[in-house]
Amino acid sequence: MDEQIKRLQTVTDRLEAIARQLGTNSSPTSGPSVGDDESADSINRLPVIQDYEALINDAVKPFLVVSQKIGGDLSKISEHVSLLFQAQQQFIRQAVQSKKPNDNQIVDAIKPQSSEMEAITAFTNKNRKSPLFNHLSAISEGTPALGWILVSPTPGPHVKDMSDAAQFYSNRVLKEFKEKDPTHAEWVKLWAKVLNDLYSYVRKYHTTGLAWASQGKRDFSTVSTSTIKPVATTAGGPPPPAPPLPPPPPPMALDLNTNTEADNSRNELMSSINSLGQGVTARLKKVPDELKTHKNPQLRQQADSQLVDNSKPAVPPRGKKPTTSSTEATTTATTKGTPKLALEGNKWIVENQTNQSNLRVTQTEMKHCVYIYRCTNCTITIEGKVNSIVLDQCTKVGIQFTSVVSLIEFVNCKSMKAQVIEQVPTIQIEKTDGCHVYLSPTSLDTEFITSKSSEMSINIPTGDGEYKEYPIAEQFKTCIQGGKRLVTTPNESAGV
């Protein structure tokens, strides 16, 4: 009797096991339960998941560590970067196991990522006066690369374009801090590595778009993300040690040779000065005794009378032109420089141009930057969409451009005119006297940042082919309210 009961119990156990197995596999959309650690481990071992984890460990975490080390506003914005990558890691884990949901479900699913991107942009715009504004802008311009999950059929180029957009501000960080603090140069390289590694990951696993249902076809909402670990560092505790970095991939074309060229120029200059010093008196003529004033009193009296009668300027005899020394002529020629219009890497160089009415920059790409230096009385046309435009120490230059990704900047210029054909998000005017900007109907949301400048105006199209001119305030009135805060308004006498 006991033996029969044991056999019956064995059969019952087998039937229950079969029933559980059938219940698990009966629905094509059902999957491993939330608590199924073995299934979660199998998902985590997938290359598409492991390589994104490697992206976080090898690139994102070291970048966050250095950001926390620099501190300030960079420490705060890096927390949003950490949350952004964490949210995308969770999203990818769900996407590769499930069918593509409808548009409304996708909007809800990516909300954690879009919220962090918006927070990064808002934080950057709020801190324009921050000493780390270029760092913040490099992050703000680069993080839209994580929007590749919505790009089809080629998300890779989208990541690359956003990397190129971040390059402009990364170069500014290098220019400002490379000599002061090498930590900032390391920060630039790490941010470039984050974007480059993301580009490689997308090209490897998501060539034609996010790989939905590549590892299963369950309902998106049923897939668990509870095994995802948060990404790296917060300001509240010590950062984890960064893993050793592998040799970095070919970076974006960052201008890292600026200081080397400056050092070479400085050495050449010092060599020239030293060489002049060796024979500086070689060509001097000896003054004879009869021309020395201390030995000839009559010469001294003539010199004294000339000093007293200083109302008459010294004029050379008629028919003779004043001569210019060879040293002065050489200095003038060197200061003016050689005219140039060429593409060097990703940067168009336009410099030392004078009286040129038809300078054109064509065959541009969105990753290109345009640098215009010491041009006088010229008209320049830039076709296509470029990353940025900078005009430095120019006079009486008119520029017409199609579209700019980041900004156009006027620095140390005089009597400038600019016309926007399509769009430009920001126009920055610094230490410039006379700058008149003509906007297009599609560029009316352009922001203007001005400092230490005068005679600025914005010309807005009225719809009938005409423009209405609005001056930018040059003078401001500041009052103290409540003994605690300052309120600044444009001064009405400035014509505003």
Side-chain angles (χ1 to χ4, degrees), residues 30 113 125 151 169 238 261 269 314 332 362 401 426 477:
S30 64
Q113 300 175 65
N125 292 333
V151 179
Y169 291 99
E261 295 176 0
L269 176 61
T332 304
T362 59
F401 60 93
T426 305
K477 179 175 64 178

Side-chain angles (χ1 to χ4, degrees), residues 48 92 95-98 148 205-216:
V48 67
I92 293 174
V96 298
Q97 301 177 69
S98 59
W148 67 268
Y205 293 105
H206 311 277
T207 308
T208 58
L210 180 61
W212 291 97
S214 61
Q215 307 299 327

Side-chain angles (χ1 to χ4, degrees), residues 8 172 214 281 363:
L8 182 59
R172 282 191 163 193
S214 61
T281 60
Q363 299 179 357

Side-chain angles (χ1 to χ4, degrees), residues 245-490:
L245 295 177
M252 298 179 291
L254 299 175
D255 189 11
L256 300 177
N257 296 323
T258 304
N259 290 306
T260 302
E261 295 176 0
D263 291 341
N264 293 337
S265 300
R266 192 179 299 110
N267 293 334
E268 292 177 1
L269 176 61
M270 295 305 297
S271 299
S272 300
I273 293 174
N274 292 335
S275 64
L276 287 174
Q278 294 172 0
V280 70
T281 60
R283 297 184 179 181
L284 294 180
K285 296 181 179 180
K286 186 177 180 180
V287 180
D289 291 342
E290 59 269 17
L291 296 179
K292 295 178 181 179
T293 57
H294 66 282
K295 292 187 176 181
N296 297 275
Q298 66 275 15
L299 292 178
R300 189 184 306 114
Q301 292 176 358
Q302 293 177 5
D304 292 340
S305 62
Q306 289 178 359
L307 289 174
V308 173
D309 188 14
N310 55 7
S311 60
K312 298 180 179 180
V315 180
R318 182 175 298 179
K320 294 185 179 181
K321 296 182 179 180
T323 57
T324 303
S325 65
S326 59
T327 304
E328 184 178 346
T330 304
T331 303
T332 304
T334 304
T335 303
K336 185 177 180 181
T338 304
K340 186 176 184 180
L341 195 161
L343 177 62
E344 298 180 356
N346 289 332
K347 181 184 292 186
W348 283 95
I349 304 295
V350 184
E351 61 182 20
N352 300 316
Q353 300 284 350
T354 303
N355 300 325
Q356 298 294 324
S357 60
N358 193 26
L359 293 172
R360 307 185 72 85
V361 177
T362 59
Q363 299 179 357
T364 58
E365 299 179 10
M366 192 162 65
K367 62 183 178 181
H368 289 168
C369 302
V370 181
Y371 182 66
I372 304 171
Y373 177 67
R374 283 192 175 180
C375 293
T376 303
N377 196 27
C378 293
T379 302
I380 303 172
T381 302
I382 301 174
E383 300 177 0
K385 190 173 187 178
V386 296
N387 187 295
S388 61
I389 303 172
V390 177
L391 295 98
D392 187 4
Q393 300 182 40
C394 295
T395 302
K396 294 183 179 180
V397 170
I399 179 170
Q400 182 187 73
F401 60 93
T402 305
S403 188
V404 173
V405 174
S406 56
L407 87 167
I408 177 172
E409 182 177 6
F410 299 88
V411 184
N412 294 317
C413 296
K414 294 181 179 180
S415 303
M416 308 297 289
K417 290 185 179 181
Q419 182 179 11
V420 187
I421 302 301
E422 292 182 3
Q423 287 183 322
V424 56
T426 305
I427 296 178
Q428 186 165 329
I429 307 172
E430 181 178 351
K431 298 179 182 178
T432 294
D433 297 324
C435 187
H436 305 281
V437 179
Y438 294 80
L439 298 178
S440 68
T442 57
S443 61
L444 299 183
D445 57 347
T446 300
E447 293 184 351
F448 288 79
I449 303 172
T450 63
S451 62
K452 299 181 180 179
S453 299
S454 63
E455 301 177 34
M456 301 169 289
S457 69
I458 304 172
N459 295 268
I460 298 178
T462 59
D464 54 359
E466 300 295 330
Y467 289 86
K468 186 173 181 180
E469 184 177 7
Y470 296 88
I472 297 178
E474 303 172 16
Q475 298 178 0
F476 299 89
K477 179 175 64 178
T478 300
C479 302
I480 303 175
Q481 288 191 354
K484 294 182 179 180
R485 68 189 187 100
L486 301 180
V487 177
T488 301
T489 57

